[in-house]
Amino acid sequence: MESSRSTRSGRRHSLLRAAAVTLSLATAAALAGCASADTTTPSSSHQSAFKPVAQKASSQITVWADSTRLPSVQAYQKAHPDVKMKIVTYDGGADGSTYLQSKVQLFDRTGSGWPDVVFGTPTDVTWASQATKPGAQPFAAPLDDKLVPQSTLDGFAKGSLTPCQFGGHTYCMRNDIAQVVLWYNKSLMDQWGYQVPTTWQEYEALGTKVAKEHPGYLVGSVGDTNSHESYFWSGQCPAFSLTKPDTLRTDLQDPKCTRMATLLDHLISAKAVATQGFFSQGFAKDSGSKVLMAYGPSWYGQYLFKAGFKTPAKQIAAAPPLTWQERARLPRATSAAVCGWCPRTAPTSRRPRIW
């Protein structure tokens, strides 16, 4: 692929690289205070139009993946020995890391080094779809520009690719969709005679009751990076709404935000919701066995309760996402999606459509 400043003959404009933007809906929403803001970023009107280089089936592709998705990439390599692959492990954008963005800026300056496929976070979509400097080619390639069949993109659940879309194009595909659900210890709930809550009001009431009757047991945590998604996004709080391709609206004073903040403040004060993250150091050992409920992504079952807390089998169950009482009769298709990762391809790749 070429830019207005250089031919970039060494840049392997991987059609696969643009497909590697991940989907994890990571943004920061402060629980301590409320604020409103409209943040507008300058749009890039002079960046080069997408133009992939000639494709060569024999070219090697470089794939960047985090440790969680590494086994899947290795499994693909094993199943397709004819595909030449170089696999690189990186942090995957965990905890707000900007490692990928910094590296891409470096590669744009040096003219080489870009990976072809990246498993990253959804927050990468905005910067990766824009040039890092005037005349430069954006890191991510638009998958809907003849790189991925439209029928494939249309096959994803409605709305699931929205975080991958920017400026009218789709820059990534979700590796998974982690719906937010209510996890609970069924054995203890049955033993103590508790009913599984279906609304946020019932959840708050039960959390208050648990704090009084079984001190030390928890109904949730707000200490992990996905907490704001699990609670605020699920509660319809407009904490991060993309109103225009270059405008992000945050309104933490909205009643849908303040009611969730009030609920959490109450449960935190009662010591029913922890401020320490489920995945933080020492939590599993000190409090893992005292988690009565956890409101979070569907992968909690495998990676939190089974792998992290070592919870015995047949104790943990999952219930549908919570709603506010006035919305209890509406379809339960409004839960947030957490940590869905997607492969993104780059326009520098010589080997498209690997995944």
Short mmCIF file of all heavy atoms in Angstrom, two decimals, residues 156-203:
data_model
loop_
_atom_site.label_atom_id
_atom_site.label_comp_id
_atom_site.label_asym_id
_atom_site.label_seq_id
_atom_site.Cartn_x
_atom_site.Cartn_y
_atom_site.Cartn_z
N PHE A 156 -23.35 -11.62 11.70
CA PHE A 156 -23.16 -11.32 13.11
C PHE A 156 -24.48 -10.80 13.70
O PHE A 156 -25.31 -10.22 13.00
CB PHE A 156 -22.07 -10.26 13.30
CG PHE A 156 -20.67 -10.81 13.15
CD1 PHE A 156 -20.11 -10.97 11.89
CD2 PHE A 156 -19.93 -11.15 14.26
CE1 PHE A 156 -18.83 -11.48 11.75
CE2 PHE A 156 -18.64 -11.65 14.13
CZ PHE A 156 -18.09 -11.82 12.86
N ALA A 157 -24.66 -11.02 14.99
CA ALA A 157 -25.86 -10.55 15.67
C ALA A 157 -26.02 -9.05 15.47
O ALA A 157 -25.03 -8.30 15.47
CB ALA A 157 -25.79 -10.88 17.16
N LYS A 158 -27.24 -8.61 15.31
CA LYS A 158 -27.51 -7.20 15.06
C LYS A 158 -26.92 -6.33 16.17
O LYS A 158 -27.17 -6.57 17.34
CB LYS A 158 -29.02 -6.98 14.96
CG LYS A 158 -29.39 -5.54 14.61
CD LYS A 158 -30.89 -5.38 14.46
CE LYS A 158 -31.25 -3.94 14.10
NZ LYS A 158 -32.72 -3.75 13.96
N GLY A 159 -26.14 -5.35 15.78
CA GLY A 159 -25.54 -4.43 16.74
C GLY A 159 -24.21 -4.89 17.31
O GLY A 159 -23.50 -4.09 17.92
N SER A 160 -23.85 -6.15 17.10
CA SER A 160 -22.63 -6.66 17.73
C SER A 160 -21.35 -6.09 17.11
O SER A 160 -20.31 -6.06 17.76
CB SER A 160 -22.59 -8.20 17.66
OG SER A 160 -22.55 -8.65 16.31
N LEU A 161 -21.44 -5.65 15.87
CA LEU A 161 -20.26 -5.07 15.23
C LEU A 161 -20.21 -3.55 15.33
O LEU A 161 -19.29 -2.92 14.82
CB LEU A 161 -20.21 -5.48 13.74
CG LEU A 161 -19.94 -6.95 13.45
CD1 LEU A 161 -19.84 -7.18 11.94
CD2 LEU A 161 -18.69 -7.44 14.15
N THR A 162 -21.19 -2.97 16.00
CA THR A 162 -21.24 -1.51 16.13
C THR A 162 -19.94 -0.92 16.68
O THR A 162 -19.43 0.09 16.16
CB THR A 162 -22.42 -1.07 17.00
OG1 THR A 162 -23.64 -1.52 16.38
CG2 THR A 162 -22.47 0.44 17.15
N PRO A 163 -19.34 -1.51 17.75
CA PRO A 163 -18.08 -0.96 18.26
C PRO A 163 -16.93 -1.09 17.26
O PRO A 163 -15.88 -0.48 17.45
CB PRO A 163 -17.81 -1.80 19.51
CG PRO A 163 -19.16 -2.31 19.91
CD PRO A 163 -19.85 -2.57 18.61
N CYS A 164 -17.11 -1.90 16.22
CA CYS A 164 -16.08 -2.07 15.20
C CYS A 164 -16.23 -1.06 14.07
O CYS A 164 -15.40 -1.03 13.15
CB CYS A 164 -16.15 -3.47 14.59
SG CYS A 164 -15.62 -4.80 15.68
N GLN A 165 -17.30 -0.28 14.11
CA GLN A 165 -17.61 0.60 12.99
C GLN A 165 -17.26 2.05 13.31
O GLN A 165 -17.49 2.52 14.41
CB GLN A 165 -19.10 0.47 12.65
CG GLN A 165 -19.45 -0.93 12.15
CD GLN A 165 -20.94 -1.18 12.09
OE1 GLN A 165 -21.74 -0.47 12.69
NE2 GLN A 165 -21.33 -2.23 11.38
N PHE A 166 -16.71 2.70 12.31
CA PHE A 166 -16.31 4.10 12.48
C PHE A 166 -16.28 4.76 11.11
O PHE A 166 -15.76 4.19 10.16
CB PHE A 166 -14.92 4.19 13.13
CG PHE A 166 -14.51 5.59 13.49
CD1 PHE A 166 -14.97 6.18 14.65
CD2 PHE A 166 -13.66 6.31 12.68
CE1 PHE A 166 -14.61 7.48 14.98
CE2 PHE A 166 -13.28 7.60 13.00
CZ PHE A 166 -13.76 8.19 14.16
N GLY A 167 -16.88 5.94 11.03
CA GLY A 167 -16.86 6.67 9.77
C GLY A 167 -17.52 5.93 8.63
O GLY A 167 -17.13 6.09 7.47
N GLY A 168 -18.52 5.11 8.92
CA GLY A 168 -19.25 4.41 7.86
C GLY A 168 -18.63 3.11 7.41
O GLY A 168 -19.14 2.48 6.47
N HIS A 169 -17.54 2.66 8.04
CA HIS A 169 -16.89 1.40 7.66
C HIS A 169 -16.74 0.47 8.87
O HIS A 169 -16.79 0.91 10.02
CB HIS A 169 -15.52 1.66 7.05
CG HIS A 169 -15.58 2.25 5.67
ND1 HIS A 169 -15.94 1.52 4.56
CD2 HIS A 169 -15.34 3.52 5.22
CE1 HIS A 169 -15.90 2.30 3.48
NE2 HIS A 169 -15.54 3.52 3.86
N THR A 170 -16.54 -0.80 8.58
CA THR A 170 -16.36 -1.81 9.62
C THR A 170 -14.89 -2.22 9.63
O THR A 170 -14.35 -2.67 8.61
CB THR A 170 -17.23 -3.05 9.36
OG1 THR A 170 -18.61 -2.64 9.32
CG2 THR A 170 -17.04 -4.09 10.45
N TYR A 171 -14.23 -2.10 10.77
CA TYR A 171 -12.79 -2.33 10.85
C TYR A 171 -12.40 -3.58 11.64
O TYR A 171 -11.23 -3.88 11.78
CB TYR A 171 -12.11 -1.11 11.47
CG TYR A 171 -12.16 0.10 10.57
CD1 TYR A 171 -13.19 1.03 10.70
CD2 TYR A 171 -11.21 0.29 9.58
CE1 TYR A 171 -13.25 2.14 9.86
CE2 TYR A 171 -11.25 1.39 8.74
CZ TYR A 171 -12.28 2.31 8.88
OH TYR A 171 -12.34 3.39 8.05
N CYS A 172 -13.36 -4.29 12.20
CA CYS A 172 -13.01 -5.50 12.93
C CYS A 172 -14.19 -6.45 12.99
O CYS A 172 -15.33 -6.09 12.66
CB CYS A 172 -12.54 -5.17 14.35
SG CYS A 172 -13.83 -4.51 15.44
N MET A 173 -13.93 -7.67 13.40
CA MET A 173 -14.97 -8.67 13.61
C MET A 173 -14.81 -9.22 15.02
O MET A 173 -13.68 -9.44 15.47
CB MET A 173 -14.87 -9.79 12.58
CG MET A 173 -15.16 -9.35 11.16
SD MET A 173 -15.11 -10.73 9.98
CE MET A 173 -13.37 -11.15 10.05
N ARG A 174 -15.90 -9.46 15.66
CA ARG A 174 -15.83 -9.92 17.03
C ARG A 174 -15.41 -11.38 17.11
O ARG A 174 -15.92 -12.23 16.40
CB ARG A 174 -17.18 -9.74 17.73
CG ARG A 174 -17.63 -8.30 17.74
CD ARG A 174 -18.82 -8.11 18.62
NE ARG A 174 -18.46 -8.24 20.01
CZ ARG A 174 -19.02 -7.55 20.99
NH1 ARG A 174 -19.94 -6.66 20.72
NH2 ARG A 174 -18.66 -7.72 22.23
N ASN A 175 -14.48 -11.62 18.01
CA ASN A 175 -14.05 -12.99 18.27
C ASN A 175 -15.09 -13.71 19.12
O ASN A 175 -15.29 -14.91 19.02
CB ASN A 175 -12.70 -12.97 18.98
CG ASN A 175 -12.30 -14.31 19.52
OD1 ASN A 175 -12.18 -14.48 20.72
ND2 ASN A 175 -12.12 -15.28 18.66
N ASP A 176 -15.76 -12.96 19.95
CA ASP A 176 -16.84 -13.52 20.77
C ASP A 176 -17.72 -12.38 21.25
O ASP A 176 -17.37 -11.22 21.14
CB ASP A 176 -16.29 -14.30 21.97
CG ASP A 176 -15.39 -13.44 22.85
OD1 ASP A 176 -15.88 -12.41 23.35
OD2 ASP A 176 -14.22 -13.80 23.04
N ILE A 177 -18.89 -12.74 21.74
CA ILE A 177 -19.79 -11.75 22.32
C ILE A 177 -20.08 -12.21 23.74
O ILE A 177 -20.76 -13.20 23.97
CB ILE A 177 -21.10 -11.65 21.53
CG1 ILE A 177 -20.81 -11.24 20.08
CG2 ILE A 177 -22.04 -10.63 22.16
CD1 ILE A 177 -22.04 -11.20 19.19
N ALA A 178 -19.52 -11.51 24.69
CA ALA A 178 -19.66 -11.91 26.09
C ALA A 178 -20.82 -11.15 26.72
O ALA A 178 -20.66 -10.03 27.21
CB ALA A 178 -18.36 -11.65 26.85
N GLN A 179 -21.99 -11.75 26.70
CA GLN A 179 -23.15 -11.11 27.28
C GLN A 179 -22.99 -10.98 28.79
O GLN A 179 -22.39 -11.83 29.44
CB GLN A 179 -24.42 -11.92 26.98
CG GLN A 179 -24.68 -12.17 25.51
CD GLN A 179 -23.98 -13.38 24.95
OE1 GLN A 179 -23.13 -13.96 25.59
NE2 GLN A 179 -24.35 -13.77 23.75
N VAL A 180 -23.53 -9.92 29.33
CA VAL A 180 -23.51 -9.73 30.78
C VAL A 180 -24.70 -10.47 31.38
O VAL A 180 -25.83 -10.32 30.92
CB VAL A 180 -23.58 -8.24 31.15
CG1 VAL A 180 -23.78 -8.06 32.65
CG2 VAL A 180 -22.30 -7.54 30.73
N VAL A 181 -24.43 -11.29 32.38
CA VAL A 181 -25.47 -12.06 33.06
C VAL A 181 -25.27 -11.97 34.57
O VAL A 181 -24.26 -11.43 35.04
CB VAL A 181 -25.46 -13.55 32.63
CG1 VAL A 181 -25.75 -13.69 31.14
CG2 VAL A 181 -24.12 -14.20 32.97
N LEU A 182 -26.21 -12.47 35.31
CA LEU A 182 -26.10 -12.50 36.77
C LEU A 182 -25.65 -13.89 37.21
O LEU A 182 -26.41 -14.86 37.11
CB LEU A 182 -27.44 -12.16 37.43
CG LEU A 182 -27.45 -12.22 38.96
CD1 LEU A 182 -26.53 -11.15 39.55
CD2 LEU A 182 -28.87 -12.07 39.51
N TRP A 183 -24.41 -13.99 37.66
CA TRP A 183 -23.90 -15.25 38.20
C TRP A 183 -24.25 -15.33 39.69
O TRP A 183 -24.21 -14.32 40.39
CB TRP A 183 -22.38 -15.31 38.04
CG TRP A 183 -21.93 -15.42 36.62
CD1 TRP A 183 -21.53 -14.41 35.79
CD2 TRP A 183 -21.85 -16.62 35.83
NE1 TRP A 183 -21.20 -14.89 34.55
CE2 TRP A 183 -21.39 -16.25 34.54
CE3 TRP A 183 -22.12 -17.96 36.10
CZ2 TRP A 183 -21.20 -17.17 33.53
CZ3 TRP A 183 -21.92 -18.89 35.08
CH2 TRP A 183 -21.47 -18.49 33.82
N TYR A 184 -24.58 -16.53 40.15
CA TYR A 184 -24.90 -16.67 41.58
C TYR A 184 -24.58 -18.08 42.06
O TYR A 184 -24.57 -19.04 41.29
CB TYR A 184 -26.38 -16.34 41.84
CG TYR A 184 -27.38 -17.29 41.19
CD1 TYR A 184 -27.94 -18.34 41.90
CD2 TYR A 184 -27.77 -17.10 39.85
CE1 TYR A 184 -28.86 -19.20 41.31
CE2 TYR A 184 -28.68 -17.95 39.25
CZ TYR A 184 -29.23 -19.00 39.98
OH TYR A 184 -30.14 -19.85 39.39
N ASN A 185 -24.29 -18.17 43.35
CA ASN A 185 -23.99 -19.45 43.99
C ASN A 185 -25.32 -20.10 44.36
O ASN A 185 -25.93 -19.76 45.38
CB ASN A 185 -23.12 -19.24 45.22
CG ASN A 185 -22.62 -20.56 45.79
OD1 ASN A 185 -23.38 -21.51 45.94
ND2 ASN A 185 -21.33 -20.62 46.12
N LYS A 186 -25.78 -21.01 43.53
CA LYS A 186 -27.10 -21.63 43.73
C LYS A 186 -27.18 -22.40 45.03
O LYS A 186 -28.21 -22.40 45.72
CB LYS A 186 -27.44 -22.54 42.56
CG LYS A 186 -28.87 -23.08 42.59
CD LYS A 186 -29.17 -23.94 41.38
CE LYS A 186 -30.63 -24.35 41.36
NZ LYS A 186 -31.07 -25.02 42.59
N SER A 187 -26.08 -23.05 45.39
CA SER A 187 -26.09 -23.84 46.62
C SER A 187 -26.37 -22.96 47.83
O SER A 187 -27.21 -23.29 48.68
CB SER A 187 -24.75 -24.56 46.80
OG SER A 187 -24.50 -25.44 45.71
N LEU A 188 -25.69 -21.83 47.91
CA LEU A 188 -25.90 -20.94 49.05
C LEU A 188 -27.24 -20.23 48.97
O LEU A 188 -27.90 -20.02 50.00
CB LEU A 188 -24.77 -19.90 49.11
CG LEU A 188 -23.40 -20.41 49.54
CD1 LEU A 188 -22.37 -19.28 49.53
CD2 LEU A 188 -23.48 -21.03 50.94
N MET A 189 -27.66 -19.85 47.78
CA MET A 189 -28.96 -19.19 47.64
C MET A 189 -30.08 -20.11 48.11
O MET A 189 -31.00 -19.67 48.82
CB MET A 189 -29.19 -18.78 46.17
CG MET A 189 -28.25 -17.70 45.66
SD MET A 189 -28.64 -16.04 46.21
CE MET A 189 -29.98 -15.64 45.10
N ASP A 190 -30.01 -21.37 47.75
CA ASP A 190 -31.02 -22.34 48.19
C ASP A 190 -30.93 -22.56 49.70
O ASP A 190 -31.96 -22.64 50.40
CB ASP A 190 -30.83 -23.67 47.46
CG ASP A 190 -31.17 -23.57 45.97
OD1 ASP A 190 -31.81 -22.57 45.58
OD2 ASP A 190 -30.80 -24.49 45.22
N GLN A 191 -29.71 -22.68 50.20
CA GLN A 191 -29.50 -22.93 51.63
C GLN A 191 -30.05 -21.79 52.49
O GLN A 191 -30.64 -22.03 53.55
CB GLN A 191 -28.01 -23.11 51.90
CG GLN A 191 -27.66 -23.36 53.35
CD GLN A 191 -26.16 -23.47 53.58
OE1 GLN A 191 -25.42 -23.89 52.68
NE2 GLN A 191 -25.70 -23.09 54.75
N TRP A 192 -29.88 -20.57 52.01
CA TRP A 192 -30.32 -19.41 52.80
C TRP A 192 -31.73 -18.96 52.45
O TRP A 192 -32.23 -17.99 53.03
CB TRP A 192 -29.33 -18.25 52.59
CG TRP A 192 -27.96 -18.55 53.14
CD1 TRP A 192 -27.63 -19.48 54.07
CD2 TRP A 192 -26.73 -17.91 52.76
NE1 TRP A 192 -26.28 -19.49 54.31
CE2 TRP A 192 -25.70 -18.52 53.53
CE3 TRP A 192 -26.40 -16.89 51.88
CZ2 TRP A 192 -24.36 -18.13 53.42
CZ3 TRP A 192 -25.08 -16.51 51.77
CH2 TRP A 192 -24.07 -17.12 52.53
N GLY A 193 -32.36 -19.63 51.50
CA GLY A 193 -33.74 -19.29 51.17
C GLY A 193 -33.89 -18.00 50.38
O GLY A 193 -34.94 -17.35 50.45
N TYR A 194 -32.88 -17.63 49.60
CA TYR A 194 -32.94 -16.39 48.82
C TYR A 194 -33.47 -16.66 47.41
O TYR A 194 -33.17 -17.69 46.81
CB TYR A 194 -31.56 -15.75 48.70
CG TYR A 194 -30.99 -15.22 50.00
CD1 TYR A 194 -29.61 -15.06 50.16
CD2 TYR A 194 -31.81 -14.88 51.08
CE1 TYR A 194 -29.07 -14.56 51.33
CE2 TYR A 194 -31.28 -14.38 52.27
CZ TYR A 194 -29.90 -14.24 52.38
OH TYR A 194 -29.38 -13.75 53.56
N GLN A 195 -34.22 -15.70 46.89
CA GLN A 195 -34.70 -15.76 45.52
C GLN A 195 -33.73 -15.00 44.61
O GLN A 195 -33.22 -13.95 44.99
CB GLN A 195 -36.10 -15.14 45.41
CG GLN A 195 -37.18 -15.89 46.17
CD GLN A 195 -37.43 -17.28 45.59
OE1 GLN A 195 -37.52 -17.45 44.37
NE2 GLN A 195 -37.53 -18.27 46.46
N VAL A 196 -33.50 -15.52 43.43
CA VAL A 196 -32.61 -14.84 42.49
C VAL A 196 -33.29 -13.57 42.00
O VAL A 196 -34.42 -13.60 41.50
CB VAL A 196 -32.30 -15.75 41.28
CG1 VAL A 196 -31.41 -15.01 40.27
CG2 VAL A 196 -31.63 -17.03 41.74
N PRO A 197 -32.65 -12.42 42.14
CA PRO A 197 -33.27 -11.16 41.72
C PRO A 197 -33.42 -11.08 40.20
O PRO A 197 -32.63 -11.65 39.46
CB PRO A 197 -32.31 -10.10 42.24
CG PRO A 197 -30.99 -10.79 42.33
CD PRO A 197 -31.31 -12.20 42.73
N THR A 198 -34.44 -10.36 39.77
CA THR A 198 -34.66 -10.14 38.33
C THR A 198 -34.58 -8.66 37.98
O THR A 198 -34.51 -8.31 36.81
CB THR A 198 -36.04 -10.69 37.90
OG1 THR A 198 -37.06 -10.01 38.65
CG2 THR A 198 -36.13 -12.19 38.15
N THR A 199 -34.62 -7.79 39.00
CA THR A 199 -34.53 -6.35 38.77
C THR A 199 -33.40 -5.77 39.62
O THR A 199 -32.94 -6.39 40.58
CB THR A 199 -35.83 -5.63 39.15
OG1 THR A 199 -36.03 -5.72 40.58
CG2 THR A 199 -37.03 -6.25 38.43
N TRP A 200 -32.97 -4.57 39.25
CA TRP A 200 -31.92 -3.91 40.02
C TRP A 200 -32.40 -3.58 41.43
O TRP A 200 -31.62 -3.63 42.38
CB TRP A 200 -31.47 -2.64 39.31
CG TRP A 200 -30.62 -2.90 38.10
CD1 TRP A 200 -30.94 -2.70 36.80
CD2 TRP A 200 -29.29 -3.43 38.10
NE1 TRP A 200 -29.90 -3.08 35.98
CE2 TRP A 200 -28.86 -3.52 36.76
CE3 TRP A 200 -28.41 -3.84 39.11
CZ2 TRP A 200 -27.61 -4.00 36.40
CZ3 TRP A 200 -27.15 -4.32 38.75
CH2 TRP A 200 -26.76 -4.39 37.41
N GLN A 201 -33.67 -3.26 41.57
CA GLN A 201 -34.20 -2.97 42.89
C GLN A 201 -34.13 -4.21 43.80
O GLN A 201 -33.77 -4.11 44.97
CB GLN A 201 -35.65 -2.47 42.78
CG GLN A 201 -35.78 -1.07 42.18
CD GLN A 201 -35.90 -1.08 40.66
OE1 GLN A 201 -35.53 -2.05 39.99
NE2 GLN A 201 -36.41 0.02 40.10
N GLU A 202 -34.46 -5.37 43.24
CA GLU A 202 -34.38 -6.61 44.01
C GLU A 202 -32.93 -6.95 44.33
O GLU A 202 -32.64 -7.47 45.42
CB GLU A 202 -35.04 -7.75 43.22
CG GLU A 202 -36.54 -7.61 43.04
CD GLU A 202 -37.13 -8.68 42.14
OE1 GLU A 202 -36.34 -9.48 41.56
OE2 GLU A 202 -38.36 -8.73 42.01
N TYR A 203 -32.05 -6.68 43.41
CA TYR A 203 -30.62 -6.92 43.62
C TYR A 203 -30.11 -6.08 44.79
O TYR A 203 -29.39 -6.58 45.66
CB TYR A 203 -29.87 -6.59 42.33
CG TYR A 203 -28.36 -6.63 42.41
CD1 TYR A 203 -27.67 -7.84 42.34
CD2 TYR A 203 -27.62 -5.46 42.53
CE1 TYR A 203 -26.28 -7.88 42.38
CE2 TYR A 203 -26.24 -5.48 42.58
CZ TYR A 203 -25.57 -6.69 42.51
OH TYR A 203 -24.20 -6.72 42.56
#
